[in-house]
Amino acid sequence: MADDLAAQADTTREEVLRAAEEALARLAPALPADAAALLRALHAAVPTAELAAESPEALAAAAASLFSFAAERTPGTAKVRVLPPGPGTGPRAVVEIVNDDMPFLVDSALAALALHGRSVASLLHPILRVRRDASGRLLGLDPAAPSRESMMRIALGPAGPVLSGMPTRPVEGLDALEAALARAMADVRATTTAFPAMLALLRGAEAEVTAAGGPEGEEAAAFLRWLTEDNFVLLGHRRFAMDGGAGLTMMGSENLGLLADPAIPVFDALRDLSAVPPAVRIALADPAPLTVAKANMRSTVHRPQHADVVATRIYDAAGRVVGGRIFLGLFAASAYNRNPRSIPFLRRKVDRILEMAGVEAESHDGRALRNIVDTWPRDELFQAPEAAVLAGARRALDLTIRPRAALVVRHDPFERFVSAIAWLPRDTFDTRLRERAGHMVARAYGGRLSAVYIALGDAPLARVHYIIATRPGAVPAVDDAALEATLAQAARGFGERLAEALTAAHGEGEAATALARWRDAFPAAYREMSTAAQGVADLALAERAIAAGRPRADV
């Protein structure tokens, strides 16, 4: 039976493709036979049912448009265009990209669209072997050709927020979107081209950090080796030199990848090297062989998030810091999914945090604290001081005993951001509460919500990690305890507030009776818009109406 259905599907698919080829011959008779080969490759991954739902003319038009676009391409560059909705594209705007095949093309195109608030309705992406002449003119599709090209056709969905935590931005025109996609493709090429050199520098940095001596230097070198094992997507590199701590110079000859342009700062504080804040100079001169931080810039390659920075130190013969390297990239998923005690650099940090806690490893608190640290937001574990992680972990441990809304805040020492970890009740947790809490924290610190990370488990509390972008020198002083109390009030559900109000008005016994009868009687809209006091008053009206034997819809 299954074989019969498969055979029927194959027959249907072949009929659809044959009809599309006939339509292609009618609509674009001047195109060579290779256009039909592109038509089949373009739709190879589309399920038969979806393929059959499209008209042959629409399938043919998509192939004809992309083939014509691919006919000429300057060697070594991507060709990108965004077509508006219309007779040739249908009801949706369409992106077409022709490029040399290389890693991260699809991810980076989707990232550029997401950063500009554009969703994707469909994506077609064949990889084809092609022959071109020296000027880039397409000579034909040839399975034996050495050159592989990526051809993309992306139908855009509605405009609107795509990334959680991203600020709302005006919908940009298709020209701006096309420019962003072209930049993303150029950035992919820059990082791919520079990758061998950046990888060699990362491996060379192992010997440089080992010069720090002791277990710390060895652990830093082991971490760099771990990065080279496909655990870090290298996007850029810079080297800096320090002359006795007074001056800072970027070595322009080693600007690579996304950092090839010296005008692009990794951190806003390094935008003007003649006015680097003292705190930044001190941080760069720190003798620790390796530190991990977040860049101000979002990656345009692979994933649209703030890039990770691994900064290593270079020492002179006397052990003084005379410079360093900045490796820009993105940690691979393994860095977030693996136990931190299996990752060099983190394993020693976790051990020190647990030692600082002063609890027996196999006691209840010891095991619970170890689990909390192991599952702590990974970016915080990489970046935060050990004392800050321990303080937050102790708070989380207390919440396992007495679950309640809570907030832990860490300030970036350079005032670029505030990291806020909130615990919110699972029974009231939803998108509305998540956004409301995030915006409350952002307003308190005069910043904007930059990123949100949610952790949901079986515990009675959901954990939400908010990153609030702030302006250096303009971060207001905030009473974190008062902010936490305000957050706790916002997290309380209507039922909890109603129970408290009924108890205050009538005592526990009568309140329990009323709640048993009426707890689930309030519509969602009422719970959202009304106060607990209004609920108590309305319940009193309802009870009197029932007692009088005249329940009415207008009481």
Side-chain angles (χ1 to χ4, degrees):
M1 182 66 175
D3 291 341
D4 292 342
L5 291 174
Q8 183 179 357
D10 288 344
T11 300
T12 300
R13 187 176 191 86
E14 185 59 32
E15 290 176 355
V16 170
L17 290 173
R18 189 179 297 113
E21 288 175 337
E22 292 172 356
L24 180 63
R26 293 194 309 272
L27 294 173
L31 291 180
D34 280 342
L38 174 60
L39 185 150
R40 287 181 173 266
L42 186 63
H43 298 99
V46 180
T48 299
E50 293 182 20
L51 197 67
E54 294 286 341
S55 70
E57 290 74 17
L59 300 177
S65 177
L66 188 57
F67 190 90
S68 299
F69 186 56
E72 303 279 348
R73 181 172 72 86
T74 302
T77 63
K79 196 173 183 183
V80 179
R81 71 176 175 184
V82 181
L83 301 171
T89 56
R92 302 181 186 278
V94 169
V95 174
E96 292 181 338
I97 304 175
V98 182
N99 202 358
D100 298 302
D101 185 37
M102 60 188 74
F104 308 128
L105 290 177
V106 173
D107 289 348
S108 302
L110 295 178
L113 293 172
L115 285 170
H116 287 76
R118 300 306 295 251
S119 61
V120 172
S122 69
L123 187 149
L124 307 177
H125 180 226
I127 304 294
L128 302 168
R129 292 190 178 274
V130 306
R131 288 184 295 107
R132 293 185 184 273
D133 63 19
S135 67
R137 184 169 62 91
L138 181 64
L139 301 177
L141 307 183
D142 183 356
S147 299
R148 288 162 50 95
E149 290 194 4
S150 159
M151 298 190 186
M152 276 187 256
R153 187 178 193 276
I154 307 172
L156 300 184
V162 176
L163 296 175
S164 177
M166 282 289 291
T168 302
R169 59 190 296 173
V171 176
E172 295 179 315
L174 297 186
D175 288 345
L177 189 62
E178 184 173 292
L181 287 162
R183 178 195 167 196
M185 295 300 101
D187 286 348
V188 171
R189 186 177 297 275
T191 58
T192 302
T193 303
F195 177 77
M198 293 190 294
L199 182 61
L201 291 170
L202 183 60
R203 287 173 171 157
E206 291 181 29
E208 294 171 345
V209 298
T210 303
E216 196 172 15
E218 294 175 1
E219 191 73 359
F223 180 68
L224 296 182
R225 284 194 297 275
W226 178 82
L227 293 181
T228 66
E229 297 167 356
D230 295 328
N231 291 308
F232 192 67
V233 180
L234 274 168
L235 300 178
H237 170 271
R238 279 201 183 134
R239 179 182 172 184
F240 62 90
M242 304 185 70
D243 52 357
L248 181 67
T249 304
M250 291 293 173
M251 314 301 286
S253 62
E254 295 190 37
N255 289 350
L256 299 172
L258 295 187
L259 301 182
D261 182 354
I264 297 176
V266 180
F267 305 110
D268 287 344
L270 297 180
R271 191 178 296 275
D272 181 2
L273 296 183
S274 65
V276 177
V280 177
R281 293 183 185 276
I282 293 171
L284 292 174
D286 188 325
L290 183 148
T291 55
V292 178
K294 279 287 185 186
N296 286 104
M297 59 185 291
R298 283 186 181 268
S299 171
T300 53
V301 175
H302 191 27
R303 299 196 304 266
Q305 64 186 50
H306 287 281
D308 298 295
V309 175
V310 176
T312 62
R313 306 300 190 274
I314 300 174
Y315 305 88
D316 64 11
R320 294 186 297 265
V321 176
V322 293
R325 301 186 184 276
I326 293 173
F327 294 96
L328 184 80
L330 295 169
F331 283 111
S334 58
Y336 294 91
N337 298 333
R338 288 175 56 176
N339 188 302
R341 283 174 286 132
S342 69
I343 299 175
F345 178 72
L346 285 189
R347 60 193 175 196
R348 291 189 74 245
K349 188 171 187 177
V350 168
D351 287 344
R352 289 193 297 266
I353 291 169
L354 295 176
E355 288 171 7
M356 290 167 60
V359 295
E360 292 291 334
E362 296 307 316
S363 67
H364 171 272
D365 283 1
R367 291 193 300 271
L369 200 62
R370 184 168 62 244
N371 179 67
I372 289 169
V373 174
D374 285 349
T375 57
W376 200 244
R378 190 55 50 90
D379 285 335
E380 282 296 285
L381 202 53
F382 271 120
Q383 300 169 45
E386 291 158 12
V389 175
L390 178 57
R394 280 175 166 156
R395 189 65 180 282
L397 179 62
D398 180 55
L399 295 176
T400 64
I401 301 170
R402 298 185 299 122
R404 62 199 186 280
L407 182 70
V408 168
V409 175
R410 180 180 70 86
H411 295 254
D412 172 56
F414 309 128
E415 296 189 329
R416 299 175 303 144
F417 64 86
V418 168
S419 170
I421 301 175
W423 288 267
L424 303 171
R426 280 289 304 272
D427 59 351
T428 60
F429 184 75
D430 57 12
T431 301
R432 187 187 299 271
L433 176 57
R434 184 201 76 203
E435 293 179 348
R436 184 180 180 189
H439 289 302
M440 286 174 60
V441 178
R443 285 193 300 270
Y445 285 98
R448 62 173 178 80
L449 196 57
S450 177
V452 181
Y453 306 100
I454 304 170
L456 293 174
D458 297 330
L461 297 174
R463 189 187 72 197
V464 189
H465 184 199
Y466 298 106
I467 303 296
I468 309 300
T470 53
R471 291 184 299 135
V475 181
V478 175
D479 183 337
D480 290 341
L483 179 59
E484 180 185 66
T486 304
L487 197 70
Q489 285 296 321
R492 299 176 71 209
F494 179 79
E496 182 182 356
R497 291 183 282 113
L498 180 65
E500 183 179 89
L502 282 169
T503 300
H506 305 296
E508 290 186 3
E510 190 172 335
T513 301
L515 286 171
R517 183 173 189 177
W518 296 101
R519 183 186 297 274
D520 299 324
F522 296 92
Y526 185 99
R527 291 169 175 264
E528 182 66 28
M529 301 299 296
S530 302
T531 65
Q534 183 64 50
V536 171
D538 288 342
L539 284 186
L541 290 174
E543 292 282 8
R544 285 198 297 272
I546 292 173
R550 51 178 183 83
R552 292 164 45 196
D554 60 344
V555 295

